Amino acid sequence: MTNSTELNKAQETSLSRDFTTLTRHVLSQSGGFSPAAYDLSLLMGRIALAGKMIGRHLSQAGLTADALGVTGEINIQGEAVKKMDQYANRIFIRAFEQSGLVCRLASEEMEKPYYIPENCPIGRYTLLFDPIDGSGNIDTNLAVGTIFSIRQQEGNDETEEALDLLQSGHKQVGAGYILYGSSTMFVYSIGKGVHAFTLDPSLGEFILSTTNIQIPSHGSTYSINEGNFWQWDEGMREYIRYVHKQSGYSARYSGALVADIHRILFQGGVFIYPGSQENPDGKLRLLYESAPLAYLVTQAGGKATTGSQDIMDVVPKKLHARTPLIIGSPEDVDLVLSFSQTEVELPNKG
Ligand code: AFP
C-alpha cells in the first residue's frame, strides 16, 4: 500500500514536471490568457524552436557540410563569419517570417535591422539576438550559446542607425539565452524571476528544470581572459593580483559568454570583459549581449556594470555599440569595483 502510494506520488511529480513546458510557463508568468500573453508565449516558443534547430545542427557539426569553419566573409564587427553564425542567423529569420509576432530583428550578424513588413501592422515586438555566442568554440566541440533580448516595437525607424532601438536596457520586456552544452538549456526572464528549462530530446520540449534562480551573493569563480592583462588599467590588474594572492578563487573562462554566465548564475562569481587601451569599450555588444544578460542577472539578484555605470542604464549610440562588462554576484562585482572606485568600501586587501 505504502509502496503504491509512493509510486503514485513519484509519477505525479514527474508528470507535473513534464507538463511544465516553456510556452505554458511563459503564459502563466505573463498573467493569464490575454492576447499579449499569448503573443509573448508564442514568441518565446519560436525562439525555442530556433534554438532546437540550431542545437540539432550543432550536434551533427562534424558530419554536415555547412557547420564547421568560416564562410570567408567579414561581419560588421570586422570578425570572420563562421558558417554556424550565418546558419543560425538564417534560422532566426525563418522562425519569425510570417509569424505575426516580430516586426524587426537585429543581430550581431546583420549590419542593419531586418524588417519583416508583413508582420509590422500586428507584430508587437523587436527581437535582438546573438545567434551563436562563442562561435570560436564550435570547431572544437565546446559549449556555445544564443542570447536574445525582447523589446516592445516602438516607432518605425528604418534608417541604418535604427535610432528607435538606441534605448537603455530598461526597455527590455524579456531576455534570455540558450546554452548548447552537455544538455541544451533555455533560461529566460520576463521580469518575474529567472527560470531554466532543459531540452528533453525524447519529447522535443524544453521542460522546467529550475525555477526562480537566485544568484549566490558570492562565488569562487572569476572569469576573465587574463591573456589581456597588460592591456587593462591598473585597477583591473590590481584586482587580478588580489585574487591570485587569496585562497578560494578559481579562474574559469570558456570563450563563450553564455557558458561562463550560466556557471556564475548557478554557482556565483564574476565575469569580466574590461575595456583595454586599444578598445576602451571592450569587446561585448550592448544591445544583444551585455543588456540581456544584465537583465537576467539583475532579475536573479546579481549586478552588471560597465565599471562606471549600471549596464541597464547605458544608452547606446549605435546598434552595434560595445561596452565593458562586469557581471555576477553582488559581492564579487563590488569587489572588482572597489579596485577602481574609492566610494565603494574596500575589502581587506592585505
Ligand atoms: P565569438 O562569438 O566571436 O567567438 O566571441 C565570443 C565572445 O563575444 C564572448 O562569448 C566571449 O566571452 C568573448 O567573446 C571571448 O573573447 P576573447 O577571445 O577576446 O576572450
Side-chain angles (χ1 to χ4, degrees):
M1 178 69 181
T2 317
N3 277 352
S4 84
T5 315
E6 274 168 15
L7 193 66
N8 286 346
K9 258 194 199 158
Q11 281 174 348
E12 277 308 311
T13 312
S14 106
L15 279 178
S16 86
R17 191 204 58 214
D18 287 356
F19 275 101
T20 310
T21 59
L22 176 66
T23 44
R24 185 168 166 166
H25 193 264
V26 177
L27 202 54
S28 70
Q29 285 269 304
S30 34
F33 300 93
S34 64
Y38 267 115
D39 275 359
L40 203 52
S41 106
L42 285 173
L43 196 160
M44 217 60 93
R46 297 305 282 182
I47 297 172
L49 176 62
K52 285 183 232 175
M53 295 181 72
I54 293 167
R56 184 179 63 182
H57 206 65
L58 284 169
S59 70
Q60 299 163 357
L63 307 174
T64 55
D66 57 346
L68 302 180
V70 294
T71 62
E73 293 160 38
I74 302 293
N75 70 11
I76 175 70
Q77 327 291 339
E79 296 156 357
V81 178
K82 312 268 185 329
K83 289 180 186 168
M84 255 326 283
D85 285 328
Q86 207 172 62
Y87 174 84
N89 197 61
R90 272 207 315 269
I91 288 286
F92 265 87
I93 292 173
R94 293 306 287 274
F96 284 97
E97 275 170 346
Q98 290 166 356
S99 65
L101 295 166
V102 164
C103 176
R104 179 171 50 185
L105 298 163
S107 100
E108 182 187 1
E109 301 307 324
M110 300 185 286
E111 187 177 352
K112 301 181 203 170
Y114 183 94
Y115 281 84
I116 312 178
E118 69 269 20
N119 288 351
C120 284
I122 40 174
R124 295 169 206 268
Y125 300 104
T126 291
L127 182 70
L128 298 110
F129 60 102
D130 182 357
I132 300 279
D133 164 68
S135 50
N137 281 0
I138 292 172
D139 290 356
T140 46
N141 194 21
L142 296 170
V144 294
T146 292
I147 307 173
F148 61 88
S149 164
I150 304 166
R151 292 177 183 233
Q152 209 79 46
Q153 167 71 21
E154 277 182 19
N156 197 20
D157 182 354
E158 294 200 35
T159 65
E160 196 167 318
E161 293 81 17
L163 296 175
D164 57 334
L165 279 180
L166 305 186
Q167 301 192 52
S168 80
H170 296 289
K171 286 282 181 180
Q172 296 173 106
V173 295
Y177 61 75
I178 303 166
L179 171 61
Y180 311 97
S182 45
S183 64
T184 300
M185 290 189 73
F186 190 109
V187 179
Y188 89 99
S189 177
I190 52 169
K192 292 181 182 163
V194 180
H195 314 284
F197 292 72
T198 302
L199 181 65
D200 180 335
S202 64
L203 296 173
E205 286 278 5
F206 282 105
I207 304 293
L208 182 66
S209 45
T210 314
T211 189
N212 281 318
I213 300 164
Q214 284 295 305
I215 192 168
S217 56
H218 161 70
S220 61
T221 294
Y222 71 100
S223 189
I224 185 168
N225 185 345
E226 289 194 50
N228 298 330
F229 186 87
W230 289 108
Q231 296 177 36
W232 303 327
D233 65 27
E234 189 50 26
M236 192 53 65
R237 293 201 292 255
E238 261 311 294
Y239 166 75
I240 294 298
R241 291 188 192 105
Y242 170 78
V243 292
H244 285 177
K245 278 190 265 167
Q246 305 295 310
S247 60
Y249 285 98
S250 294
R252 295 282 184 271
Y253 191 78
S254 73
L257 178 61
V258 166
D260 291 325
I261 293 290
H262 188 73
R263 179 202 304 274
I264 288 166
L265 193 60
F266 279 80
Q267 298 179 350
V270 63
F271 176 95
I272 312 168
Y273 206 111
S276 62
Q277 284 154 14
E278 222 172 286
N279 301 304
D281 290 330
K283 178 180 181 188
L284 304 176
R285 278 57 56 123
L286 178 70
L287 284 169
Y288 40 82
E289 289 184 310
S290 305
L293 294 175
Y295 181 94
L296 272 190
V297 166
T298 308
Q299 273 290 316
K303 286 188 173 180
T305 165
T306 63
S308 58
Q309 190 180 13
D310 192 313
I311 290 284
M312 293 288 284
D313 294 335
V314 180
V315 178
K317 291 199 172 57
K318 53 184 183 180
L319 186 60
H320 298 289
R322 295 172 194 262
T323 175
L325 179 64
I326 305 166
I327 185 169
S329 297
E331 287 176 21
D332 297 305
V333 170
D334 284 347
L335 177 64
V336 178
L337 291 178
S338 74
F339 285 86
S340 56
Q341 293 177 350
T342 45
E343 64 266 29
V344 176
E345 202 179 315
L346 294 177
N348 175 13
K349 297 178 185 141

